[in-house]
Amino acid sequence: MTTTLSRAHGRSGSGTAGGTASRLTGVSLPVDSHVHTQWSWDAPDGDMVASCVRAVELGLPAVAFTEHVDHTTWRVASEDLAPDHLLVRLSTPDGSLTPPTFDAAGYLAAVEDCRDRFPELRILSGVELGEPHRHAPQVAEVLATGTFDRVLGSVHTLLDGGGYAEPPGLFTHWDPAEVLRSYLAEVTALVEGSDAFEVLAHVDYPLRSWPAAAGAFVPEEFEDEFRHTLRTVAQSGRVLEVNTVVPFHDTLLRWWRAEGGDAITFGSDAHDPAAVARGFRDAVHLAEAHGFRPGRRLYDPWGRV
């Protein structure tokens, strides 16, 4: 049985960049560098204004709205989803989904509006580029439309027969270990094949839908693959995201540091305002335990001591 957590779950903003202690957690929270709003095609419950309100309530120093920019068409695992699920509704009768076009102009205008509304919150513009190594011309066209303060790169799909599929669809007929190893190999290809992004998002993406029948995830069983991928990211000078959709594994952060990784960001991957900064208390404690500390400006990535 697979626990499916699918996706349909420049000028920086003006304002104060100083740290503010969260009134809910009692700890100083970092920037949420991975938030989706209504400008992401798979976030029907997203709301940029409400996400800013939530960030202010939590005392975040900044928030980055990194909207999805996807060009890969893939097969949706509709058998695991309700008939009215967004991914099913966007799919063709044969189950193929081509993501809608990103409205860069509308998004950037919304960012400026929120910067005016929330002068106390630093608001970073951004995008999450899905598989940019496969779609370099399209990605370049989007990035040329304006200034994006935080650009994430990510892998969501793997080649499966004659098309692509996300991990939930692959786990139905691939060995779980093969899914994870293939995913890490594709992440390595992403890093080596694209210079369009600065932060690698969710290196542990397949763990969101790791099958219960496969038993508990044991990182040491995939040490060589994880360390090779993390080493490639570190040598490229990129930043690793500590994504909090599922708890980030302590061992992965230890390997990141051992392989030369010297910077991290924190990302809730929120697709609705309530999820902004979810899991950040534990993520901060984890990062501090491995010697990572805030940068010179609190909206910078954290660096290692």
Side-chain angles (χ1 to χ4, degrees):
M1 181 68 178
T2 297
T3 302
T4 302
L5 292 171
S6 65
R7 287 199 282 174
H9 43 223
R11 183 177 83 77
S12 299
S14 60
T16 302
T20 304
S22 166
R23 290 177 290 278
L24 297 183
T25 66
V27 300
S28 182
L29 295 178
V31 177
D32 193 337
S33 289
H34 190 160
V35 176
H36 299 284
T37 74
Q38 71 271 26
W39 298 98
S40 282
W41 64 267
D42 68 340
D45 298 320
D47 187 312
M48 188 177 289
V49 172
S51 294
C52 289
V53 171
R54 180 60 174 161
V56 172
E57 289 176 348
L58 292 171
L60 297 187
V63 63
F65 294 120
T66 52
E67 311 296 356
H68 279 297
V69 175
D70 294 309
H71 297 95
T72 299
T73 296
W74 80 93
R75 176 181 53 80
V76 172
S78 57
E79 61 273 13
D80 292 332
L81 302 173
D84 62 345
H85 194 284
L86 175 67
L87 297 185
V88 176
R89 288 190 280 113
L90 290 176
S91 301
T92 60
D94 68 355
S96 295
L97 189 154
T98 300
T101 301
F102 174 56
D103 180 1
Y107 160 76
L108 290 169
V111 168
E112 291 299 332
D113 177 64
C114 282
R115 286 170 173 168
D116 291 338
R117 292 194 192 199
F118 301 93
E120 72 275 35
L121 178 68
R122 183 170 288 270
I123 299 172
L124 305 180
S125 61
V127 287
E128 179 186 358
L129 305 176
E131 295 98 26
H133 60 310
R134 301 180 196 157
H135 310 285
Q138 298 96 317
V139 165
E141 184 177 350
V142 171
L143 294 180
T145 61
T147 298
F148 298 96
D149 302 313
R150 188 136 296 168
V151 180
L152 315 180
S154 63
V155 170
H156 295 111
T157 64
L158 300 177
L159 190 61
D160 182 36
Y164 289 91
E166 289 199 302
L170 296 172
F171 281 129
T172 63
H173 57 286
W174 286 24
D175 179 80
E178 182 184 5
V179 173
L180 183 52
R181 290 191 171 100
S182 297
Y183 182 83
L184 292 173
E186 189 67 15
V187 171
T188 300
L190 163 73
V191 175
E192 294 177 337
S194 174
D195 60 1
F197 66 97
E198 61 175 336
V199 179
L200 174 68
H202 51 60
V203 70
D204 57 351
Y205 187 65
L207 301 187
R208 300 183 185 186
S209 49
W210 189 254
F217 165 68
V218 179
E220 287 77 12
E221 294 179 359
F222 306 92
E223 180 172 0
D224 289 345
E225 293 86 354
F226 266 113
R227 291 185 74 128
H228 174 70
T229 297
L230 293 171
R231 186 182 316 123
T232 302
V233 178
Q235 290 176 347
S236 75
R238 247 81 65 110
V239 177
L240 181 72
E241 175 187 86
V242 174
N243 190 289
T244 60
V245 170
V246 295
F248 199 79
H249 205 289
D250 174 86
T251 301
L252 301 185
L253 198 54
R254 174 166 55 83
W255 288 341
W256 169 243
R257 177 154 185 162
E259 294 299 336
D262 59 10
I264 61 171
T265 59
F266 299 85
S268 68
D269 213 340
H271 282 61
D272 64 81
V276 170
R278 61 178 159 194
F280 271 28
R281 179 209 290 265
D282 291 341
V284 165
H285 292 325
L286 174 67
E288 290 177 339
H290 286 278
F292 289 92
R293 297 293 184 270
R296 182 176 62 85
R297 302 168 300 184
L298 288 188
Y299 52 87
D300 286 340
W302 280 32
R304 67 177 188 174
V305 178

